[in-house]
Amino acid sequence: MVQSILTICRYDTVISPGAYFHLKTDWFESDQEIQTIIIDQSHVFTKMLSIYPNNFVMYLEQDANGSLYRTNYPLFRQEDKDYFEVEWDA
């Protein structure tokens, strides 16, 4: 049975309103390799799906209460870094 893209996104990362989120993407060459689909968007709410190289998928729900990133691989942030990385070995 084929899984829906959204059902494979089982890891959640929550970002508070106004907080910074940056994903380290040194594992591919250009942002043009990312396919982005805007599912729903208004002036207060966004739902967006991004498909990256290496079969990495990130779904974003963002509103005034913050951002929820759902991914098919877990994300982590080292204490001394200001960006998130994909944990490929999960």
Side-chain angles (χ1 to χ4, degrees):
M1 179 181 211
V2 177
Q3 284 186 306
S4 161
I5 285 180
L6 295 182
T7 62
I8 66 170
C9 294
R10 52 183 211 248
Y11 301 99
D12 291 353
T13 302
V14 177
I15 306 296
S16 301
Y20 179 74
F21 177 86
H22 177 71
L23 180 64
K24 183 178 178 183
T25 56
D26 60 350
W27 35 276
F28 61 94
E29 293 192 24
S30 168
D31 286 347
Q32 293 177 351
E33 296 178 62
I34 304 168
Q35 296 176 354
T36 300
I37 303 161
I38 297 172
I39 298 168
D40 190 12
Q41 188 172 36
S42 71
H43 65 286
V44 294
F45 192 83
T46 298
K47 288 183 182 180
M48 186 168 58
L49 178 68
S50 296
I51 303 169
Y52 291 74
N54 294 359
N55 295 318
F56 178 72
V57 177
M58 183 163 54
Y59 172 73
L60 165 65
E61 285 188 13
Q62 185 175 34
D63 63 18
N65 297 315
S67 300
L68 171 63
Y69 293 87
R70 289 194 171 125
T71 57
N72 60 328
Y73 287 93
L75 301 179
F76 69 96
R77 187 173 62 96
Q78 294 181 15
E79 232 178 270
D80 60 337
K81 304 294 182 191
D82 66 347
Y83 53 81
F84 287 83
E85 296 181 66
V86 178
E87 186 177 325
W88 295 108
D89 297 330

